[in-house]
Amino acid sequence: MAQAFFGGVHPGDMKAATNEKAIEQLAPPAQVVIPMSQHIGKPCRPVVAAGDHVKVGQLIGEPTGFVGAPIHASVSGTVTAVEPRPYSMGGNMMSVVIENDGKEELSETVKAPENPDSLTPEQMVEIVKNAGIVGMGGATFPTHIKISSGIGKVNTVIINGAECEPYITGDHRTMLERPEQIIGGAAYLARMFGVDKVHIGVELNKQNGIDALNRVIAEKKAPAEVLGLRCRYPQGAEKQLCQAVTGRQVPPGELPSAIGCAVFNINTTCAIFRAITQGMPVVKKVVTVSGSGVIDPKNLECPIGTPVSNLFDACGGLKDGTYKLIMGGPMMGLAQYTADVPVGKGTGCMLAFAGDEDQTVEHPQCIRCGRCVSVCPMHLEPLMMYQYTAKDMLDELEDAHVMDCMECGACTYICPARMHLTQMFKVGKQKLGAKKAAEKAAAEAKRAADEKKEA
Amino acid sequence: MTDYQNLKLTASSSPHIRSAEDTRSIMLDVIIAMLPALAFACYWFGFRSLTVTAVSVAGCVFWEWLYRKLLKKPQSVGDLSAVVTGILLAFVCPVQIGYWQILIGGFFAIVVVKQLFGGIGKNFLNPALAARALMLASWASSMNRWIAPHSWAAIFSSNADIVTAATPLSYLKGDEIPATFQKLTETYRVTDMFLGKIGGSMGEVSALMLILGGGYLLARKVISWQIPVSFIGTVAVLTFLFPRGNSPAEWMAYNLFGGGLLLGAFFMATDYSSSPITARGQLIYGVGCGALTVFIRYFGSYNEGVCYSIMIMNCFAALIDRSVRPSRFGAVKSAKKEAASK
């Protein structure tokens, strides 16, 4: 059953480089750098100091706000520094640096619950919270909040296995190699939300993955159903996936829970399974290492905090002329300025480009062809928003619903004039935010002045 | 192993990949789509079609190059849009048009209509049509002197000796309808009209070749179906419903295949810069073009209405874009109504 949403693009999927390569374990890195911000929300506070000995799974960072998730040591060894280091979002972030002793000693805190199948939803949410699980497709929203705020409201639980970005094959390999973890995690999600069935959306270019999941579902009589989805970027975007599965659209500015949906990534589902059955927090990540600059592309499983240079070394190194390192997929990933950045909970892919993927031109000039309008999955008019931002027409920009833009990059990908549309919308959102803040400050200053006058 | 400290990295915004299609490849597709009609013009009107087109293209490219050069703007002739304008301009002129006239037309199209408004993507009128309108106003006689088919206009002479013939559209007009229409059906069969064995501008005569080209553009997704279908469909429906001949179907066929309707619908009205950007907007625009075409053909003083109807709708394109916007993702119906009433 192929489901549809409006718009989208169909880039060459480039998955052949790695989709038949089994997930390999990376040789233990000598050192890991674990940033204290691996989720949306305030960074964690480190609870270890230089010189401490830590074990795998031991808590090293405590959340400081409501929206947050704890962070655990991914290797055993000695903490050599707690200091700001470069991280994937750009700039530096307080990080715990651990010298790996290679013993992989497991922390005493990692204990499997005695009878996972008799846990109440509240207990399961607590386990998910303590395991530091966040949206591992890249959004990194703390999963326990998504679950606890959704219980009672959500009637459609969706597992996101679309993997619509080119190059990435980690989810596909997980379906083939660990389908029982996905289905097991899905069953726990069904129990937490109290639904009869969980929908697993998978793009139809992963037919063997769909078959593998269906086999396990049949074997275990699991409360899950696999939906084949049309191969179309951004099929795996949360709102588009909800639309494809339910036919409903998430209202502007709202979360999927507004239409009774909750979406979890395949990786997140596996992490839930491991946390509930083994008590294991998030300490490892499957990362696809690919792109024209990589000599031998692979799917690697590595400890959180592994510097990405270790990943490239495990893939034979980089080719000469590599001009771009991207953490994430080619459509929404972040270009990195150094190979020192570590793998985080949301890292699913590391790309190196050495070809002409960018295709930049010196003087892009919009030809008004309207392709951006017809591909925008959020029904926006990118060429108009571009003009409004460039000309500082902020009222018009807001009226064009720039805040609905999820920066999927479909318009920029398709643009024959090679305009930098997505980049402009990021700027536009900032301008709009700055204007709102200035207006608010002015209004408050005025009110303060009025109060003073009255007094 | 790799020296990670000395990588020269670009840290630019996502996305990091681009589709292979660019402005140049789109323009190349349009040029390819016009080749059948050009080939037919050579067969039907003689090789002067080719030389006129070549001069028109050379002129348009030269004017664009010169303007960008003189104003020290980044050079843009490489995008091939001036070539497209050049071919279209030749297509809307009769074959014996003077070379100097088409160079002046090219100047108006490229410099006045396109570059003065900011270049590609900024012109609010179709450059080739605007130039045709100027030439028609300036040299009414040479723009209306239709060469008799197969008289093989000489390449260099001014062709004072050519036989002129009336175009089919002139029979669809006047007080003596349907008698003149009767005469037309006797002169040209519908198949002649379809194949293009009639008089007219160089590129407009052969419906078959234009449909081939238009089909290519649709198949390559260079244009969307909305504008040609709504434009041609509107003309078809209106002429069928209000025929001025004895047979509505025949009257409709002569209206569809005569004049510049197909050239306009596939190649002129679909010009990106001067047409609306949303699918619904394009439907409205196409219906407007079709209705105005029929209106001018029925009640105007000119025989042909395609050129002016497209230019009039060009002026409405921005207005259509402002009022017809895609429905916001996730906006519920009541909210949409509220937004509309605001």
Side-chain angles (χ1 to χ4, degrees):
Chain A
M1 179 172 31
Q3 310 277 328
F5 63 93
F6 169 91
V9 292
H10 189 60
D13 72 8
M14 311 301 278
K15 291 181 194 281
T18 52
N19 65 4
E20 292 187 351
K21 293 187 181 172
I23 300 170
E24 282 178 39
Q25 296 296 321
L26 179 78
Q31 191 190 57
V32 293
V33 180
I34 305 179
M36 289 293 108
S37 175
Q38 298 189 38
H39 49 258
I40 288 183
K42 279 189 191 161
C44 285
R45 184 179 60 233
V47 294
V48 290
D52 287 1
H53 183 79
V54 294
K55 294 175 179 173
V56 177
Q58 182 180 333
L59 184 77
I60 57 170
E62 257 180 3
T64 52
F66 172 69
V67 179
I71 292 168
H72 304 82
S74 58
V75 297
S76 62
T78 313
V79 176
T80 53
V82 179
E83 62 186 22
R85 290 283 185 104
Y87 85 131
S88 60
M89 302 300 285
N92 291 335
M93 171 55 61
M94 185 58 70
S95 304
V96 173
V97 184
I98 306 171
E99 201 74 47
N100 190 357
D101 63 11
K103 292 184 190 149
E104 296 193 30
E105 283 177 278
L106 205 59
S107 164
E108 299 75 28
T109 52
V110 178
K111 279 202 300 275
E114 279 174 14
N115 193 353
D117 292 332
S118 65
L119 293 168
T120 64
E122 291 73 28
Q123 287 169 321
M124 286 193 271
V125 171
E126 195 60 25
I127 291 172
V128 167
K129 181 179 176 182
N130 292 332
I133 300 174
V134 299
M136 308 233 276
T140 67
F141 184 78
T143 302
H144 67 273
I145 301 177
K146 196 184 251 185
I147 300 173
S148 56
S149 67
I151 290 177
K153 274 196 277 181
V154 167
N155 52 29
T156 312
V157 178
I158 303 167
I159 310 287
N160 186 356
E163 201 166 47
C164 58
E165 282 240 23
Y167 294 97
I168 312 180
T169 54
D171 288 359
H172 185 189
R173 292 310 309 178
T174 307
M175 286 175 219
L176 290 173
E177 296 172 36
R178 302 163 185 176
E180 68 293 338
Q181 292 193 7
I182 300 171
I183 301 301
Y188 288 126
L189 280 169
R191 271 183 48 208
M192 282 187 256
F193 284 103
V195 295
D196 316 333
K197 200 161 60 175
V198 171
H199 305 274
I200 307 177
V202 183
E203 271 193 358
L204 286 163
N205 58 358
K206 295 179 267 292
Q207 189 57 49
N208 55 357
I210 295 174
D211 296 342
L213 291 175
N214 275 330
R215 262 197 305 279
V216 178
I217 292 172
E219 248 170 54
K220 302 204 166 162
K221 301 199 172 52
E225 177 195 36
V226 182
L227 293 172
L229 302 170
R230 184 172 67 137
C231 294
R232 192 120 181 116
Y233 179 86
Q235 183 65 263
E238 211 169 43
K239 291 182 177 180
Q240 274 59 39
L241 188 62
C242 291
Q243 188 184 5
V245 172
T246 67
R248 295 193 293 266
Q249 295 182 355
V250 180
E254 304 248 19
L255 295 169
S257 61
I259 56 163
C261 289
V263 182
F264 299 91
N265 180 265
I266 288 256
N267 269 295
T268 317
T269 314
C270 289
I272 291 171
F273 178 81
R274 285 193 296 264
I276 292 179
T277 56
Q278 303 158 15
M280 199 64 198
V282 180
V283 293
K284 281 189 172 183
K285 191 73 208 274
V286 176
V287 182
T288 302
V289 185
S290 190
S292 56
V294 175
I295 289 167
D296 180 21
K298 283 178 182 172
N299 296 301
L300 294 168
E301 187 162 35
C302 65
I304 300 285
T306 304
V308 298
S309 52
N310 285 41
L311 296 179
F312 290 126
D313 279 341
C315 296
L318 295 177
K319 290 181 191 161
D320 289 342
T322 295
Y323 67 92
K324 203 177 244 186
L325 300 182
I326 303 157
M327 187 172 275
M331 296 297 286
M332 291 186 77
L334 289 169
Q336 303 296 324
Y337 62 91
T338 161
D340 292 337
V341 292
V343 169
K345 290 176 185 175
T347 309
C349 183
M350 234 7 257
L351 296 174
F353 280 167
D356 187 27
E357 289 86 355
D358 258 7
Q359 300 191 53
T360 44
V361 296
E362 220 172 313
H363 301 285
Q365 173 76 284
C366 174
I367 57 171
R368 268 182 59 91
C369 64
R371 280 169 177 66
C372 50
V373 181
S374 57
V375 303
C376 179
M378 296 308 289
H379 311 190
L380 302 171
E381 296 179 297
L383 79 169
M384 297 297 197
M385 285 162 28
Y386 184 94
Q387 295 289 345
Y388 295 149
T389 310
K391 292 176 179 163
D392 271 327
M393 296 164 70
L394 295 183
D395 292 334
E396 285 83 354
L397 181 65
E398 194 178 4
D399 193 45
H401 309 310
V402 71
M403 298 314 278
D404 287 3
C405 171
M406 55 176 175
E407 298 166 19
C408 71
C411 53
T412 317
Y413 170 81
I414 206 75
C415 179
R418 308 278 184 260
M419 304 284 286
H420 299 290
L421 296 164
T422 311
Q423 182 177 357
M424 195 58 126
F425 306 150
K426 292 178 185 177
V427 174
K429 287 178 183 177
Q430 282 173 4
K431 282 185 181 175
L432 213 53
K435 186 188 155 215
K436 287 256 158 84
E439 278 171 0
K440 203 177 156 197
E444 257 164 36
K446 187 166 178 284
R447 210 184 52 208
D450 287 349
E451 274 169 19
K452 211 173 169 186
K453 222 184 281 169
E454 277 167 31
Chain B
M1 274 272 168
T2 313
D3 176 11
Y4 291 103
Q5 298 312 313
N6 288 315
L7 290 170
K8 286 198 166 60
L9 295 177
T10 313
S12 57
S13 166
S14 61
H16 307 285
I17 50 173
R18 298 282 200 163
S19 132
E21 188 186 46
D22 63 4
T23 305
R24 188 188 164 90
S25 75
I26 290 174
M27 294 302 161
L28 203 58
D29 269 338
V30 179
I31 293 169
I32 291 169
M34 290 188 290
L35 291 181
L38 183 60
F40 185 84
C42 288
Y43 156 75
W44 189 237
F45 295 119
F47 284 108
R48 191 180 162 97
S49 320
L50 214 53
T51 54
V52 169
T53 307
V55 168
S56 175
V57 168
C60 286
V61 172
F62 173 74
W63 294 125
E64 174 140 328
W65 174 83
L66 188 70
Y67 179 91
R68 307 292 292 189
K69 183 93 185 157
L70 290 180
L71 273 84
K72 299 192 173 59
K73 287 175 181 292
Q75 203 43 263
S76 60
V77 290
D79 65 26
L80 298 182
S81 64
V83 177
V84 170
T85 303
I87 300 177
L88 284 175
L89 178 60
F91 273 18
V92 292
C93 292
V95 70
Q96 84 298 340
I97 190 80
Y99 294 120
W100 63 275
Q101 287 168 311
I102 210 155
L103 285 175
I104 291 174
F107 175 84
F108 187 74
I110 293 293
V111 176
V112 179
V113 181
K114 184 178 169 193
Q115 293 298 343
L116 286 185
F117 286 90
I120 188 167
K122 300 278 169 49
N123 49 294
F124 74 98
L125 287 178
N126 182 313
L129 285 184
R132 180 192 140 90
L134 174 90
M135 292 165 79
L136 197 59
S138 311
W139 308 297
S141 67
S142 44
M143 288 298 283
N144 274 322
R145 223 162 26 134
W146 305 105
I147 184 181
H150 270 317
S151 57
W152 291 81
I155 291 178
F156 294 111
S157 78
S158 61
N159 302 302
D161 55 340
I162 57 165
V163 190
T164 61
T167 64
L169 278 188
S170 56
Y171 292 100
L172 300 179
K173 196 108 193 177
D175 303 330
E176 287 155 50
I177 285 178
T180 48
F181 180 59
Q182 187 65 32
K183 201 178 153 209
L184 174 64
T185 53
E186 282 157 16
T187 320
Y188 300 121
R189 283 167 300 153
V190 174
T191 48
D192 292 334
M193 301 285 294
F194 182 69
L195 293 174
K197 296 179 159 184
I198 50 176
S201 302
M202 265 190 286
E204 72 178 21
V205 286
S206 176
L208 173 66
M209 297 298 169
L210 291 168
I211 289 170
L212 275 180
Y216 175 79
L217 290 183
L218 285 170
R220 298 278 297 164
K221 296 198 173 130
V222 170
I223 59 173
S224 52
W225 60 268
Q226 278 86 357
I227 293 176
V229 168
S230 58
F231 191 165
I232 298 169
T234 304
V235 173
V237 168
L238 288 178
T239 49
F240 188 80
L241 290 181
F242 306 105
R244 289 178 162 186
N246 300 325
S247 146
E250 211 168 38
W251 172 261
M252 178 183 84
Y254 278 82
N255 260 292
L256 292 186
F257 301 145
L261 178 64
L262 294 174
L263 180 65
F266 284 117
F267 293 93
M268 299 290 193
T270 53
D271 173 37
Y272 291 147
S273 356
S274 53
S275 62
I277 50 175
T278 60
R280 272 191 299 160
Q282 289 171 351
L283 285 174
I284 295 171
Y285 170 87
V287 169
C289 286
L292 283 170
T293 298
V294 174
F295 186 81
I296 295 173
R297 282 187 183 178
Y298 277 30
F299 308 112
S301 60
Y302 284 111
N303 295 334
E304 176 58 303
V306 172
C307 171
Y308 293 106
S309 68
I310 294 175
M311 288 205 292
I312 291 169
M313 289 312 290
N314 282 168
C315 300
F316 281 102
L319 203 62
I320 294 173
D321 275 343
R322 278 184 82 100
S323 43
V324 182
R325 287 167 53 181
S327 57
R328 189 179 188 187
F329 183 92
V332 281
K333 289 221 171 85
S334 59
K336 270 178 205 165
K337 265 182 209 151
E338 264 170 44
S341 63
K342 243 198 293 190

